[in-house]
Amino acid sequence: MGSSVRTAILRASADGYAGLAASRLAEQAPGALGSDGFEAWRRHYRAQLQALIAALEDELPERYAAHVAWLRDAQQARGGDPAVFSAALDALEFVLEQHLPAAADPVLSRCFELARAALTAPRAAAPPAPAASPLARAYVEALLDCDKERALREVDAALAESRVDPAALLDEVLPYAQREIGELWHRGSIGVAEEHFATQVTRQCIGRLLARAQPAAPGAARVVVTSLQGDGHDIGVQLVACAFELAGWRTVFLGANTPIEEVVAIARKLDAQVVALGGTLDEHRAPIAAAVRALRAGAPRARVIVGGAAFDGSEDLWRRSGADALARAPSEAPRCAASLLGTLA
Ligand code: B12
């Protein structure tokens, strides 16, 4: 069986395999399933299968192993039993062996081998906090105190006193804060409510920056910015849209979760010169590649820029998407777009 056929089957049957793996786990480790245990494990397996499919497509088994270790850490931080987690991996491998012979696919076998090794390795120590400016630290502290007024005051004062410029806010302060909040959630130190709160305040900060943008000139270049169906993260792309707006582009920001055909339709309708697509998780790369293909056919004038954490950790992952360029930071995106159009001053 060819590996692309295998991933197609996996994708089409992921829901079924998720249910079978949850049933197998219930048989093998009945204590593993609490009150809503079957549904919770089915959701867990669905997410894990998406990461597995992305690892198979890109032939990067170590990314699946990293994802499994990440899930284990998140569960353990909430009192989950590591032995159950290991049984859960066995259950998934068993189901796939039954339904999708693994022997012929060395990448699939390697995914499980590395995942098992990752599970037996000791839990990773908290990574050292990245260097952050005093403003970024003060902003995070205010968020953790759920003090929106203080958080916004910190940002307003820094902008007013020119202690921070918009690019630093977009590239450093706000991403640092979102990632710190994510790390604390991952380690079980804060809940989803704190994350949701931080995301809302970060949106307001972006609004503060947008209020400083001059209206775009009528003939200015047009960009469409979005993340795609299945990707609920919109702060990264919002920062990118804000950078374009501050750089004078006519910016059409669509938020998160946009269906591919809608992105193509609006790019065609508006005759957009650039489409900027963001992705956060490994499984967001496949929809981005599909969108690039659809844009080439349906809106061929648009140049496509990609970015986001889905492309981190490898120099060339973005090239496989077929896009024209990768921008690593929001304020880099307008420069990168202008250079693609040959209009860089
Ligand atoms: C907020 C958040 C959410 C919110 C999103 C709300 C919203 N409206 O955006 C919600 C609750 C919906 C959410 C859901 C999930 N999340 Co989430 N989320 C986060 C969190 C805390 C912040 C995300 C964020 O705003 N980042 C800030 C942006 C600015 O940073 P960035 O993405 O790295 O982007 C930088 C660059 O890449 C670039 N960039 C970004 N996009 C683009 C686009 C273009 C075009 C360009 C040029 C550049 C660019 O700009 C940024 C600055 O340099 C992160 C933590 C983190 N480390 O980011 C987790 C995180 C991304 N989430 C994670 C997970 C696992 C999930 C869920 C699967 C959880 C679950 N079990 O349901 C779901 C998946 C939902 C989905 N279908 O996509 C994990 C991913 C781990 C992994 N790699 O597998 C993270 C890392 C949390 C963690 N610490 O473990 N999440």
Short mmCIF file of all heavy atoms in Angstrom, two decimals, residues 134-143 145-164 169 173-174 197 201-202 204-206 208-209 212:
data_model
loop_
_atom_site.label_atom_id
_atom_site.label_comp_id
_atom_site.label_asym_id
_atom_site.label_seq_id
_atom_site.Cartn_x
_atom_site.Cartn_y
_atom_site.Cartn_z
N PRO A 134 10.89 44.35 29.63
CA PRO A 134 10.12 44.65 30.84
C PRO A 134 8.64 44.84 30.52
O PRO A 134 7.77 44.43 31.28
CB PRO A 134 10.74 45.95 31.34
CG PRO A 134 12.12 45.98 30.74
CD PRO A 134 12.06 45.24 29.46
N LEU A 135 8.34 45.45 29.36
CA LEU A 135 6.93 45.66 29.00
C LEU A 135 6.22 44.31 28.83
O LEU A 135 5.11 44.12 29.35
CB LEU A 135 6.83 46.47 27.69
CG LEU A 135 5.41 46.59 27.14
CD1 LEU A 135 4.48 47.33 28.11
CD2 LEU A 135 5.39 47.28 25.77
N ALA A 136 6.86 43.37 28.14
CA ALA A 136 6.22 42.06 27.91
C ALA A 136 5.95 41.38 29.25
O ALA A 136 4.87 40.81 29.48
CB ALA A 136 7.11 41.19 27.02
N ARG A 137 6.92 41.48 30.18
CA ARG A 137 6.73 40.82 31.48
C ARG A 137 5.60 41.49 32.27
O ARG A 137 4.76 40.83 32.87
CB ARG A 137 8.05 40.82 32.27
CG ARG A 137 9.06 39.80 31.72
CD ARG A 137 10.13 39.48 32.76
NE ARG A 137 10.82 40.69 33.17
CZ ARG A 137 11.90 41.18 32.57
NH1 ARG A 137 12.40 40.56 31.52
NH2 ARG A 137 12.47 42.29 32.99
N ALA A 138 5.60 42.84 32.24
CA ALA A 138 4.56 43.56 32.98
C ALA A 138 3.18 43.26 32.40
O ALA A 138 2.19 43.11 33.14
CB ALA A 138 4.84 45.07 32.93
N TYR A 139 3.11 43.15 31.10
CA TYR A 139 1.84 42.85 30.43
C TYR A 139 1.34 41.47 30.86
O TYR A 139 0.17 41.29 31.24
CB TYR A 139 2.05 42.96 28.92
CG TYR A 139 0.83 42.66 28.08
CD1 TYR A 139 -0.29 43.49 28.10
CD2 TYR A 139 0.79 41.53 27.25
CE1 TYR A 139 -1.42 43.20 27.32
CE2 TYR A 139 -0.32 41.25 26.48
CZ TYR A 139 -1.43 42.08 26.52
OH TYR A 139 -2.53 41.79 25.76
N VAL A 140 2.25 40.47 30.85
CA VAL A 140 1.83 39.11 31.25
C VAL A 140 1.38 39.10 32.71
O VAL A 140 0.37 38.48 33.05
CB VAL A 140 2.99 38.09 31.04
CG1 VAL A 140 2.64 36.74 31.65
CG2 VAL A 140 3.28 37.93 29.56
N GLU A 141 2.13 39.81 33.56
CA GLU A 141 1.74 39.81 34.99
C GLU A 141 0.33 40.38 35.16
O GLU A 141 -0.47 39.85 35.93
CB GLU A 141 2.75 40.62 35.81
CG GLU A 141 3.96 39.77 36.18
CD GLU A 141 5.15 40.62 36.62
OE1 GLU A 141 4.93 41.75 37.12
OE2 GLU A 141 6.29 40.14 36.46
N ALA A 142 0.04 41.45 34.43
CA ALA A 142 -1.30 42.04 34.54
C ALA A 142 -2.36 41.06 34.03
O ALA A 142 -3.44 40.92 34.62
CB ALA A 142 -1.36 43.35 33.76
N LEU A 143 -2.04 40.34 32.95
CA LEU A 143 -3.00 39.35 32.43
C LEU A 143 -3.26 38.26 33.46
O LEU A 143 -4.39 37.82 33.66
CB LEU A 143 -2.47 38.71 31.14
CG LEU A 143 -2.39 39.59 29.90
CD1 LEU A 143 -1.82 38.79 28.72
CD2 LEU A 143 -3.77 40.15 29.52
N ASP A 145 -3.10 38.51 36.57
CA ASP A 145 -3.94 39.05 37.65
C ASP A 145 -5.35 39.34 37.15
O ASP A 145 -6.16 39.92 37.89
CB ASP A 145 -3.34 40.37 38.18
CG ASP A 145 -2.06 40.12 38.98
OD1 ASP A 145 -1.86 38.96 39.39
OD2 ASP A 145 -1.28 41.07 39.16
N CYS A 146 -5.62 39.01 35.89
CA CYS A 146 -6.92 39.32 35.26
C CYS A 146 -7.24 40.80 35.37
O CYS A 146 -8.38 41.18 35.62
CB CYS A 146 -8.05 38.47 35.86
SG CYS A 146 -7.99 36.79 35.28
N ASP A 147 -6.19 41.62 35.22
CA ASP A 147 -6.37 43.06 35.35
C ASP A 147 -6.21 43.69 33.96
O ASP A 147 -5.12 44.11 33.56
CB ASP A 147 -5.33 43.61 36.34
CG ASP A 147 -5.59 45.05 36.71
OD1 ASP A 147 -6.28 45.75 35.95
OD2 ASP A 147 -5.07 45.49 37.77
N LYS A 148 -7.34 43.75 33.26
CA LYS A 148 -7.31 44.26 31.88
C LYS A 148 -6.85 45.72 31.84
O LYS A 148 -6.05 46.10 30.98
CB LYS A 148 -8.72 44.15 31.27
CG LYS A 148 -8.79 44.67 29.86
CD LYS A 148 -10.18 44.62 29.31
CE LYS A 148 -10.98 45.80 29.80
NZ LYS A 148 -12.29 45.92 29.18
N GLU A 149 -7.37 46.53 32.79
CA GLU A 149 -7.05 47.96 32.76
C GLU A 149 -5.54 48.16 32.88
O GLU A 149 -4.95 48.95 32.16
CB GLU A 149 -7.77 48.71 33.90
CG GLU A 149 -9.28 48.82 33.70
CD GLU A 149 -10.03 47.49 33.82
OE1 GLU A 149 -9.53 46.56 34.51
OE2 GLU A 149 -11.11 47.36 33.22
N ARG A 150 -4.92 47.39 33.81
CA ARG A 150 -3.47 47.55 33.99
C ARG A 150 -2.72 47.11 32.74
O ARG A 150 -1.78 47.77 32.30
CB ARG A 150 -3.02 46.74 35.21
CG ARG A 150 -1.65 47.17 35.72
CD ARG A 150 -1.34 46.49 37.04
NE ARG A 150 -0.51 45.31 36.89
CZ ARG A 150 -0.71 44.16 37.52
NH1 ARG A 150 -1.74 44.00 38.32
NH2 ARG A 150 0.12 43.16 37.35
N ALA A 151 -3.17 45.98 32.15
CA ALA A 151 -2.48 45.47 30.96
C ALA A 151 -2.52 46.51 29.85
O ALA A 151 -1.51 46.80 29.21
CB ALA A 151 -3.14 44.16 30.51
N LEU A 152 -3.71 47.10 29.64
CA LEU A 152 -3.84 48.08 28.55
C LEU A 152 -3.08 49.37 28.88
O LEU A 152 -2.49 50.00 28.00
CB LEU A 152 -5.33 48.39 28.28
CG LEU A 152 -6.13 47.22 27.69
CD1 LEU A 152 -7.60 47.57 27.56
CD2 LEU A 152 -5.57 46.81 26.32
N ARG A 153 -3.09 49.73 30.18
CA ARG A 153 -2.34 50.93 30.59
C ARG A 153 -0.85 50.77 30.29
O ARG A 153 -0.21 51.69 29.79
CB ARG A 153 -2.55 51.16 32.09
CG ARG A 153 -3.12 52.52 32.39
CD ARG A 153 -3.27 52.88 33.85
NE ARG A 153 -2.88 51.93 34.87
CZ ARG A 153 -3.74 51.20 35.59
NH1 ARG A 153 -5.04 51.27 35.38
NH2 ARG A 153 -3.29 50.41 36.54
N GLU A 154 -0.33 49.58 30.59
CA GLU A 154 1.10 49.32 30.33
C GLU A 154 1.41 49.55 28.85
O GLU A 154 2.39 50.19 28.50
CB GLU A 154 1.47 47.85 30.67
CG GLU A 154 1.37 47.49 32.14
CD GLU A 154 2.56 48.02 32.94
OE1 GLU A 154 3.48 48.61 32.35
OE2 GLU A 154 2.54 47.86 34.18
N VAL A 155 0.56 49.01 28.00
CA VAL A 155 0.80 49.10 26.55
C VAL A 155 0.61 50.54 26.06
O VAL A 155 1.44 51.07 25.32
CB VAL A 155 -0.13 48.12 25.81
CG1 VAL A 155 -0.11 48.37 24.31
CG2 VAL A 155 0.28 46.68 26.12
N ASP A 156 -0.48 51.19 26.52
CA ASP A 156 -0.74 52.57 26.08
C ASP A 156 0.42 53.49 26.48
O ASP A 156 0.88 54.30 25.68
CB ASP A 156 -2.03 53.10 26.74
CG ASP A 156 -3.27 52.46 26.10
OD1 ASP A 156 -3.14 51.92 24.98
OD2 ASP A 156 -4.35 52.50 26.72
N ALA A 157 0.88 53.32 27.73
CA ALA A 157 1.95 54.21 28.20
C ALA A 157 3.23 53.97 27.41
O ALA A 157 3.91 54.91 27.00
CB ALA A 157 2.19 53.98 29.70
N ALA A 158 3.54 52.71 27.15
CA ALA A 158 4.77 52.41 26.41
C ALA A 158 4.71 52.97 25.00
O ALA A 158 5.70 53.51 24.48
CB ALA A 158 5.01 50.89 26.37
N LEU A 159 3.54 52.91 24.38
CA LEU A 159 3.40 53.48 23.02
C LEU A 159 3.52 55.00 23.09
O LEU A 159 4.25 55.61 22.30
CB LEU A 159 2.03 53.10 22.42
CG LEU A 159 1.90 51.69 21.83
CD1 LEU A 159 0.45 51.37 21.53
CD2 LEU A 159 2.76 51.54 20.56
N ALA A 160 2.82 55.60 24.06
CA ALA A 160 2.82 57.07 24.16
C ALA A 160 4.22 57.59 24.42
O ALA A 160 4.61 58.63 23.90
CB ALA A 160 1.85 57.51 25.26
N GLU A 161 4.99 56.85 25.24
CA GLU A 161 6.34 57.33 25.60
C GLU A 161 7.40 56.80 24.63
O GLU A 161 8.59 56.90 24.91
CB GLU A 161 6.67 56.88 27.03
CG GLU A 161 5.78 57.53 28.07
CD GLU A 161 5.73 56.74 29.39
OE1 GLU A 161 6.63 55.89 29.62
OE2 GLU A 161 4.79 56.97 30.17
N SER A 162 6.95 56.18 23.55
CA SER A 162 7.87 55.60 22.54
C SER A 162 8.87 54.61 23.15
O SER A 162 9.99 54.48 22.69
CB SER A 162 8.63 56.68 21.78
OG SER A 162 7.72 57.53 21.15
N ARG A 163 8.45 53.91 24.21
CA ARG A 163 9.31 52.86 24.76
C ARG A 163 9.17 51.59 23.93
O ARG A 163 9.92 50.64 24.08
CB ARG A 163 8.92 52.56 26.21
CG ARG A 163 9.54 53.53 27.20
CD ARG A 163 9.26 53.12 28.62
NE ARG A 163 7.92 53.45 29.07
CZ ARG A 163 6.99 52.56 29.41
NH1 ARG A 163 7.26 51.27 29.38
NH2 ARG A 163 5.79 52.96 29.81
N VAL A 164 8.13 51.54 23.10
CA VAL A 164 7.93 50.37 22.24
C VAL A 164 7.39 50.90 20.91
O VAL A 164 6.64 51.89 20.90
CB VAL A 164 6.95 49.36 22.88
CG1 VAL A 164 5.53 49.88 22.95
CG2 VAL A 164 6.96 48.03 22.16
N LEU A 169 5.69 45.51 19.36
CA LEU A 169 4.46 45.02 20.00
C LEU A 169 3.93 43.80 19.24
O LEU A 169 3.54 42.79 19.83
CB LEU A 169 3.43 46.15 20.00
CG LEU A 169 2.46 46.22 21.15
CD1 LEU A 169 3.13 46.16 22.49
CD2 LEU A 169 1.65 47.52 21.05
N VAL A 173 6.11 41.58 22.02
CA VAL A 173 5.36 41.67 23.29
C VAL A 173 4.11 40.78 23.26
O VAL A 173 3.92 39.92 24.15
CB VAL A 173 4.97 43.13 23.59
CG1 VAL A 173 4.13 43.20 24.86
CG2 VAL A 173 6.23 43.99 23.73
N LEU A 174 3.27 40.94 22.25
CA LEU A 174 2.00 40.19 22.25
C LEU A 174 2.22 38.69 22.01
O LEU A 174 1.64 37.87 22.74
CB LEU A 174 1.02 40.82 21.26
CG LEU A 174 0.66 42.29 21.57
CD1 LEU A 174 -0.29 42.87 20.53
CD2 LEU A 174 0.06 42.44 22.98
N PHE A 197 -9.25 34.94 28.53
CA PHE A 197 -9.17 36.34 28.96
C PHE A 197 -7.98 37.02 28.29
O PHE A 197 -8.10 38.11 27.71
CB PHE A 197 -9.05 36.40 30.49
CG PHE A 197 -8.75 37.77 31.02
CD1 PHE A 197 -9.75 38.72 31.10
CD2 PHE A 197 -7.46 38.12 31.42
CE1 PHE A 197 -9.48 40.01 31.56
CE2 PHE A 197 -7.18 39.38 31.89
CZ PHE A 197 -8.19 40.33 31.96
N VAL A 201 -7.85 40.33 25.73
CA VAL A 201 -7.12 41.58 26.00
C VAL A 201 -6.11 41.84 24.87
O VAL A 201 -5.95 42.98 24.41
CB VAL A 201 -6.42 41.53 27.38
CG1 VAL A 201 -5.65 42.82 27.63
CG2 VAL A 201 -7.45 41.31 28.49
N THR A 202 -5.49 40.77 24.39
CA THR A 202 -4.54 40.92 23.28
C THR A 202 -5.25 41.48 22.05
O THR A 202 -4.72 42.34 21.34
CB THR A 202 -3.83 39.58 23.01
OG1 THR A 202 -3.02 39.27 24.15
CG2 THR A 202 -2.94 39.64 21.78
N GLN A 204 -7.70 43.50 22.13
CA GLN A 204 -7.90 44.94 22.37
C GLN A 204 -6.61 45.72 22.10
O GLN A 204 -6.65 46.85 21.61
CB GLN A 204 -8.37 45.19 23.80
CG GLN A 204 -9.77 44.65 24.02
CD GLN A 204 -10.40 45.24 25.28
OE1 GLN A 204 -10.10 46.36 25.69
NE2 GLN A 204 -11.29 44.50 25.88
N CYS A 205 -5.47 45.12 22.46
CA CYS A 205 -4.18 45.80 22.17
C CYS A 205 -4.01 45.97 20.67
O CYS A 205 -3.53 47.00 20.22
CB CYS A 205 -3.00 44.97 22.69
SG CYS A 205 -2.86 45.05 24.45
N ILE A 206 -4.39 44.94 19.91
CA ILE A 206 -4.26 45.06 18.46
C ILE A 206 -5.17 46.19 17.97
O ILE A 206 -4.81 46.99 17.11
CB ILE A 206 -4.60 43.71 17.77
CG1 ILE A 206 -3.62 42.63 18.23
CG2 ILE A 206 -4.56 43.85 16.25
CD1 ILE A 206 -3.98 41.21 17.79
N ARG A 208 -5.85 48.86 19.62
CA ARG A 208 -5.15 50.10 19.93
C ARG A 208 -4.20 50.48 18.79
O ARG A 208 -4.07 51.62 18.41
CB ARG A 208 -4.30 49.97 21.21
CG ARG A 208 -5.10 49.70 22.46
CD ARG A 208 -5.86 50.95 22.85
NE ARG A 208 -5.87 51.16 24.26
CZ ARG A 208 -6.89 50.84 25.07
NH1 ARG A 208 -7.95 50.27 24.58
NH2 ARG A 208 -6.84 51.12 26.35
N LEU A 209 -3.49 49.45 18.28
CA LEU A 209 -2.54 49.71 17.19
C LEU A 209 -3.27 50.10 15.92
O LEU A 209 -2.87 51.02 15.20
CB LEU A 209 -1.69 48.46 16.91
CG LEU A 209 -0.57 48.19 17.89
CD1 LEU A 209 0.11 46.88 17.54
CD2 LEU A 209 0.44 49.33 17.83
N ARG A 212 -4.20 53.58 15.21
CA ARG A 212 -3.15 54.51 14.77
C ARG A 212 -2.90 54.44 13.26
O ARG A 212 -2.10 55.19 12.73
CB ARG A 212 -1.81 54.16 15.45
CG ARG A 212 -1.92 54.04 16.94
CD ARG A 212 -0.63 53.49 17.49
NE ARG A 212 -0.14 54.35 18.53
CZ ARG A 212 1.08 54.85 18.61
NH1 ARG A 212 1.99 54.54 17.71
NH2 ARG A 212 1.42 55.66 19.58
#
